[in-house]
Amino acid sequence: MAIVSLAPRHIHAIAPSAIALNKPAASVQAASTDNGGLVTEGVATLDGLNLDAIAEGRSAESLISTSIPQTNWVATADIYQPGFPPSNVLDGNLNTFWHTTYTVGLPSSAMSGASLPHALTIDMGQTYLINSIAYIPRQDGPSNGNIGEHQIVLSVDNGTWTPVALGTYQDSNSTKTTIFEASYARYVRIIALTEAGSRGPWTSCASFNIFETSTPSPASGEGEWSPTIDFPLVPVSAAIDYSSGNILVWSSWAASTFAGSAGKNTLTATYNMTTGLVSQRNISNTDHDMFCEGLSLDAKGRVVATGGNDAAKTSIYDPEMSSWTAEGHMKIPRGYQSMVTLSNGNLFTIGGSWSGNEGGKNGEIYNPSTNNWTLVPGAPVAPMLTNDAQLVYRADNHGMLFAWKGASIFQAGPSKAMNWYGTNGTGSQVAAGDRADGDAMCGNAVMYDATAGKILVVGGAIDYQGANATANASIITIGTAMSAATVQTISPMSYPRIFANAVVLPTGAIFISGGQEYGIPFSDNGSQLQPEMWDPVSTNFTKLAPQAIPRNYHSIGILLPDATILSAGGGLCGACATNHYDGQIYSPSYLFNPNGSRAIRPVVESAPSQVSVGGTLIATTDSPVTAWAMLRLGATTHTVNTDQRRIPLNATANGTTYTMTLPLDPGVLIPGYYYLFAMGAGVPSLARFVSVPVP
């Protein structure tokens, strides 16, 4: 069997399959409703989501899908156990299923069968424009054969195959829905690479459904979306692992819900940037459910997660050891707080009335060297509260925090009132002025030029939920700590957004995706499927290629080492209709030539692995380049990414050797790990990882 290797962002055609296909007669009955809410007749509901019903959303029309009648469909497979043919996936009976071979009469611990991978292929008899499939595992109790790691590939001729999705499904009998970029296909194949529970070399399937759409994917020229990446959980939080370049994501104690937590574990998954594979891991040694946590990467590049469902705890992930450890408890239990790493290497957190009682969530400091939290009585939360309809329960959530000079913090939002917080001694607070656009709860704030103190603030709403989103956009400029900020109102975004994500790119442009026009947690109504790019020179917003899947409440966006962006998640609400166990990677237009072919990247041939504040960085490239930038690695949840910031670098060239002097203040060049990008005619290199220690 030819298995495609999906290295990040590279889509390879699959060679004609070498599978010897068994072809029993297929039933023409339509499949029935399953326990995940999937209806295969009439209106399509993916995991319970009525796609027709969200057509009212400004950009939701590309989601509209209907089930394809299974008349004259044929299901084939590489192999099957007698009595469990592939035709069972089309018989409309969830009590029957396709199963690969196993030895009869042996205890389950001793059973064997044909080796993985296995493949199920559906021939629909004619070509359709499709954008989603639904795989229903066996429903009879045993989970043997549940598909784990997988690929989904399409063909119009049963000869050339194109990948549209890859990833890992959760080990459960619930419906697994994969949405992808609309593509024409007659043949749909799911390739099982692993068994979800590692029970044996088996694969099984009770039902397989395919959905069509009337809206083609957009033409090239506005960037490109990758095949769908399926995760075994809803990715609500994400962080970059500097030691590998991989993406670590997590949900809560369960894959699809945060409710009912006992505060004992967190489900995580890792997307491997090199192999394109998704692995999973249950973190239980810290006794910490990290959902709704405060989050930041510390000066050593470790992931620091605080509070959330388990409101007082601190857990730290060490990329070098690939392990989580339990650390000191906060003085004030919190959830939905923001946290930021400071110029002196300490971490500051404030707000967070979602858990651990309401109100009084004043600032405190974590010292990684002593593993102790200390209250900062001079850093009160009251000045940064929004005027939310749900009062303080929401009013102190998701602060837009930026570390700055002298171990200070600038709070840009979401309240219209901006503030400075100092952390020396017993702390201090100074008003920094008001933004003219009002409160911007669950909006976005990004430091796109730290050298110049430039921050873009976009979107949000006056209330956390039940309010219209805005398209507002402002540029904030900060300089001397504790002095008034300058605010410039600029032309708005193309679309109003709440619960969106914003990511700064090596060029200084900002990619904005997802969100809703009216804030309703756990809803995909009013989804904004068309992302946009902000240009820091023109200050204009440009519409980009629409994405296939809504990214609203509990979604993430994060910059990857190859200068692309992962957009993922949304949901985590149990049996709700909007759990999105997936992501896609967006390749901006700077990676393409005008004719749509891939641009040739410059290569950073040498660069130091560590630099110092105020020091000199010398790097070489394989060809002349025109610009350099350092971008701090990100960690994000709930629209907040306090870590990301861009440092543009001025370089002196000697051939293809470039010398750059780094910022003199650790409040600009915050200690931690950075991407180093070189750009030739706007095309970014692959990043080098560079660390900046605490001075």
Side-chain angles (χ1 to χ4, degrees):
M1 183 188 308
I3 303 300
V4 66
S5 172
L6 287 184
R9 264 65 56 216
H10 298 293
I11 305 175
H12 306 285
I14 295 184
S17 174
I19 302 173
L21 297 177
N22 302 290
K23 297 188 176 182
S27 168
V28 299
Q29 297 181 48
S32 61
T33 303
D34 83 296
N35 62 0
L38 176 70
V39 179
T40 59
E41 304 236 42
V43 176
T45 59
L46 299 183
D47 283 348
L49 170 61
N50 186 325
L51 300 183
D52 290 305
I54 68 168
E56 64 199 64
R58 179 187 301 274
S59 304
E61 56 270 12
S62 65
L63 269 183
I64 298 175
S65 303
T66 55
S67 58
I68 301 173
Q70 296 181 343
T71 305
N72 296 324
W73 284 18
V74 176
T76 58
D78 62 316
I79 199 167
Y80 66 92
Q81 180 75 6
F84 299 91
S87 58
N88 283 351
V89 306
L90 302 176
D91 66 4
N93 183 355
L94 293 183
N95 294 317
T96 65
F97 48 89
W98 162 60
H99 201 294
T100 57
T101 56
Y102 58 88
T103 304
V104 179
L106 294 177
S108 59
S109 60
M111 285 199 297
S112 62
S115 299
L116 289 156
H118 297 301
L120 174 71
T121 303
I122 304 296
D123 176 0
M124 297 181 288
Q126 66 184 74
T127 298
Y128 295 90
L129 180 62
I130 65 173
N131 69 348
S132 48
I133 64 94
Y135 155 66
I136 303 179
R138 58 190 295 182
Q139 303 288 301
D140 62 338
S143 297
N144 293 346
N146 283 358
I147 296 175
E149 189 181 308
H150 61 273
Q151 296 175 354
I152 297 170
V153 295
L154 308 180
S155 178
V156 294
D157 60 5
N158 202 23
T160 300
W161 295 84
T162 301
V164 292
L166 76 164
T168 299
Y169 287 138
Q170 177 194 12
D171 186 20
S172 72
N173 68 353
S174 64
T175 300
K176 308 300 188 292
T177 298
T178 297
I179 304 173
F180 43 81
E181 298 296 313
S183 303
Y184 287 98
R186 170 176 170 174
Y187 302 90
V188 178
R189 176 176 294 162
I190 184 167
I191 303 169
L193 303 177
T194 67
E195 203 270 357
S198 300
R199 287 171 287 263
W202 314 302
T203 302
S204 62
C205 175
S207 181
F208 196 85
N209 302 284
I210 305 169
F211 300 85
E212 66 175 329
T213 179
S214 60
T215 307
S217 294
S220 61
E222 299 175 339
E224 180 179 278
W225 288 97
S226 76
T228 299
I229 303 167
D230 287 321
F231 290 99
L233 50 82
V234 176
V236 176
S237 301
I240 300 296
D241 180 333
Y242 71 82
S243 69
S244 63
N246 295 336
I247 305 103
L248 175 68
V249 300
W250 61 97
S251 54
S252 182
W253 68 276
S256 63
T257 186
F258 63 89
S261 170
K264 297 296 183 183
N265 70 290
T266 302
L267 297 185
T268 72
T270 299
Y271 175 66
N272 187 305
M273 289 285 292
T274 301
T275 65
L277 301 180
V278 177
S279 59
Q280 54 188 315
R281 185 177 178 186
N282 182 15
I283 307 304
S284 58
N285 65 297
T286 61
D287 289 335
H288 185 185
D289 180 351
M290 293 179 278
F291 171 73
C292 289
E293 78 284 359
L295 183 62
S296 185
L297 299 177
D298 72 5
K300 296 180 179 180
R302 302 181 304 172
V303 180
V304 182
T306 59
N309 255 350
D310 200 349
K313 292 184 177 178
T314 300
S315 293
I316 293 182
Y317 176 76
D318 185 335
E320 295 288 346
M321 303 301 293
S322 187
S323 63
W324 288 89
T325 55
E327 305 297 341
H329 287 198
M330 291 184 290
K331 301 298 184 183
I332 301 173
R334 309 170 187 267
Y336 279 19
Q337 75 275 21
S338 288
M339 185 167 64
V340 64
T341 297
L342 306 181
S343 61
N344 60 8
N346 291 338
L347 287 85
F348 173 82
T349 190
I350 194 167
S353 287
W354 182 84
S355 64
N357 299 321
E358 296 180 16
K361 302 302 177 79
N362 299 328
E364 56 183 304
I365 291 289
Y366 179 67
N367 185 326
S369 299
T370 64
N371 190 28
N372 289 326
W373 286 92
T374 304
L375 294 174
V376 187
V381 72
M384 60 173 278
L385 298 180
T386 67
N387 190 31
D388 199 282
Q390 292 182 278
L391 305 177
V392 73
Y393 172 67
R394 293 298 198 190
D396 67 1
N397 295 182
H398 310 322
M400 298 173 179
L401 306 182
F402 295 90
W404 200 239
K405 303 171 183 179
S408 65
I409 303 98
F410 177 71
Q411 173 254 318
S415 63
K416 66 179 180 180
M418 303 178 294
N419 292 277
W420 286 100
Y421 288 101
T423 60
N424 295 320
T426 59
S428 58
Q429 175 270 325
V430 175
D434 287 356
R435 292 193 329 278
D437 56 3
D439 291 345
M441 180 57 71
C442 296
N444 303 104
V446 181
M447 182 172 275
Y448 64 93
D449 185 343
T451 305
K454 298 288 188 179
I455 299 166
L456 177 72
V457 177
V458 293
I462 59 172
D463 296 320
Y464 201 107
Q465 60 192 75
N468 288 319
T470 77
N472 295 339
S474 300
I475 296 173
I476 300 172
T477 305
I478 57 175
T480 303
M482 304 297 172
S483 63
T486 300
V487 180
Q488 175 190 359
T489 299
I490 60 174
S491 297
M493 294 185 291
S494 303
Y495 304 107
R497 301 176 191 266
I498 184 174
F499 309 135
N501 292 281
V503 178
V504 65
L505 304 184
T507 58
I510 296 177
F511 173 80
I512 303 161
S513 64
Q516 295 171 287
E517 60 188 5
Y518 185 85
I520 309 175
F522 310 120
S523 170
D524 280 341
N525 287 343
S527 294
Q528 304 293 23
L529 295 179
Q530 187 162 48
E532 45 195 306
M533 191 78 77
W534 180 73
D535 184 328
V537 178
S538 69
T539 71
N540 293 328
F541 294 89
T542 301
K543 298 175 184 178
L544 305 175
Q547 54 196 131
I549 304 166
R551 303 294 179 202
N552 299 323
Y553 191 52
H554 290 166
S555 64
I556 58 168
I558 196 165
L559 183 69
L560 305 182
D562 61 357
T564 62
I565 304 103
L566 173 66
S567 176
L572 199 75
C573 41
C576 74
T578 53
N579 285 328
H580 297 298
Y581 293 78
D582 48 39
Q584 283 184 284
I585 292 173
Y586 179 76
S587 295
S589 59
Y590 57 34
L591 295 177
F592 300 90
N593 295 315
N595 65 1
S597 63
R598 285 278 173 165
I600 298 175
R601 294 177 183 261
V603 176
V604 180
E605 294 185 326
S606 68
S609 60
Q610 182 172 297
V611 296
S612 300
V613 173
T616 299
L617 191 161
I618 300 175
T620 63
T621 59
D622 70 333
S623 58
V625 298
T626 54
W628 292 82
M630 291 175 64
L631 283 80
R632 200 169 190 274
L633 271 60
T636 183
T637 188
H638 292 81
T639 74
V640 176
N641 187 342
T642 63
D643 290 306
Q644 67 170 338
R645 65 174 53 199
R646 173 178 168 270
I647 316 287
L649 300 174
N650 294 320
T652 300
N654 182 6
T656 56
T657 298
Y658 297 85
T659 302
M660 293 154 270
T661 300
L662 302 180
L664 295 170
D665 197 302
V668 175
L669 189 63
I670 297 296
Y673 273 82
Y674 286 77
Y675 297 133
L676 173 66
F677 288 104
M679 284 155 284
V683 181
S685 66
L686 298 176
R688 288 286 190 126
F689 289 85
V690 178
S691 70
V692 178
V694 178

